[in-house]
Amino acid sequence: MGDVVKDLVAGTVGGAANLIVGHPFDTIKVKLQSQPTPAPGQFPKYAGAVDAVKQTIATEGPRGLYKGMGAPLATVAAFNALLFTVRGQMEALLRSEPGQPLTVNQQVVAGAGAGVAVSFLACPTELIKCRSIGIPRLQAQSALAEAAAASGVALPKGPIDVAKHVVREAGMKGLFKGLVPTMGREVPGNAVMFGVYEGTKQYLAGGQDTSNLGRGSLILSGGLAGAVFWLSVYPTDVVKSVIQVDDYKKPRYSGSVDAFKKILAADGVKGLYKGFGPAMARSVPANAATFLAYEITRSALG
């Protein structure tokens, strides 16, 4: 079995582990990111992550935390398969000789290259997820719901319906709305993530040979790498989310810079960190599960 196939298989397994562990956290993150700014004197819909969880369970039951999972379920395995496969090919290009471990700096470069590739898959996938609203099993986005109610337009009924609605309204290019901030997240984020992952493994192993590390060390390395990913790019993710749920015909934002400025003007710096708590809470276990599942599967394949 070739290295590309091994990375594809191991990345797919890692992606499935990521989704199972991380989707409830992601649901809350997107809800907090996309809730509209309250009018003066009024409270926001959600007081915080815990309140968002309580309201979601109260109105939709525990299954509500997994709403909008259709698009990620179909693509998160492919996302991680592509991420780890491109990273593997970048490693092969950067390696000075066969079997030679990469340095931390080389892993940073490999991660950045993988980030470019996965941006083109992440953008339409996350746009569909973020625009999935309310009826009957979706990740609720109140900003979109309010816009639809005001215009009298029927809400899409699921991820596939959302995709069709976007294509009808804006063509195929509409699925790539937010590509620039998506790249602004994935390229530096994955560069840092893979660099930290490899650096932590080498530190724990006492050298470049990390082949004998136990599962606990892999979990620690993957969890730390995931946390650093979000610490480094979270405001960019918020900008991406508000652009992707923006109206196509009457957009509030003309681009990433405009969205950044308007978020700052409306909510201050804290507006760039809406949903930060659940994102960080998700990143550690989800990425630990991803890297552990990848490493175990990759090792089993030889």
Side-chain angles (χ1 to χ4, degrees):
M1 186 182 292
D3 287 339
V4 172
V5 176
K6 292 176 184 177
D7 282 329
L8 279 169
V9 174
T12 300
V13 175
N18 181 292
L19 182 63
I20 292 169
V21 174
H23 191 79
F25 295 98
D26 200 46
T27 296
I28 300 303
K29 174 182 75 75
V30 176
K31 284 189 173 185
L32 290 172
Q33 284 182 343
S34 62
Q35 65 177 325
T37 301
Q42 294 185 348
F43 294 103
K45 182 176 180 180
Y46 305 112
V50 175
D51 183 50
V53 171
K54 290 179 178 178
Q55 288 195 43
T56 299
I57 293 176
T59 57
E60 306 171 61
R63 292 177 62 184
L65 296 172
Y66 283 90
K67 288 187 175 181
M69 196 170 166
L73 184 62
T75 58
V76 73
F79 175 92
N80 281 276
L82 178 62
L83 178 68
F84 282 99
T85 300
V86 174
R87 177 226 186 184
Q89 293 305 296
M90 289 289 293
E91 286 181 335
L93 290 173
L94 294 168
R95 191 172 286 120
S96 57
E97 57 183 74
Q100 178 70 30
L102 265 64
T103 65
V104 172
N105 288 339
Q106 288 174 321
Q107 287 288 358
V108 169
V109 175
V116 173
V118 299
S119 294
F120 291 93
L121 178 59
C123 184
T125 300
E126 295 196 11
L127 181 138
I128 292 169
K129 179 188 70 178
C130 289
R131 294 184 74 88
S132 292
I133 25 180
I135 312 171
R137 52 181 183 282
L138 309 156
Q139 211 167 6
Q141 300 300 310
S142 54
L144 282 177
E146 290 176 2
S151 63
V153 177
L155 297 177
K157 296 181 179 180
I160 294 177
D161 196 25
V162 168
K164 291 179 179 178
H165 181 81
V166 168
V167 172
R168 283 197 302 267
E169 190 171 359
M172 290 298 295
K173 68 178 182 180
L175 292 171
F176 290 89
K177 186 176 186 179
L179 180 60
V180 171
T182 299
M183 282 191 169
R185 182 192 70 183
E186 293 297 330
V187 175
N190 280 294
V192 171
M193 183 176 72
F194 282 109
V196 169
Y197 180 65
E198 187 62 28
T200 304
K201 287 201 304 176
Q202 291 185 14
Y203 174 79
L204 294 173
Q208 283 193 312
D209 184 5
T210 61
S211 59
N212 293 321
L213 284 178
R215 294 184 180 183
S217 296
L218 296 176
I219 289 172
L220 175 60
S221 300
L224 182 59
V228 173
F229 178 103
W230 286 112
L231 279 170
S232 64
V233 299
Y234 194 80
T236 306
D237 184 63
V238 173
V239 170
K240 176 200 73 70
S241 291
V242 299
I243 288 176
Q244 289 189 323
V245 300
D246 200 10
D247 187 69
Y248 283 98
K249 295 181 180 179
K250 296 180 180 179
R252 296 180 185 178
Y253 311 108
S254 60
S256 299
V257 175
D258 184 50
F260 179 82
K261 290 179 179 178
K262 287 180 177 176
I263 291 170
L264 279 179
D267 300 312
V269 174
K270 68 178 182 180
L272 294 169
Y273 287 89
K274 286 183 177 180
F276 183 70
M280 289 302 294
R282 173 195 184 279
S283 67
V284 174
N287 283 281
T290 300
F291 279 104
L292 179 63
Y294 170 83
E295 296 280 12
I296 291 175
T297 306
R298 189 68 171 77
S299 178
L301 294 174

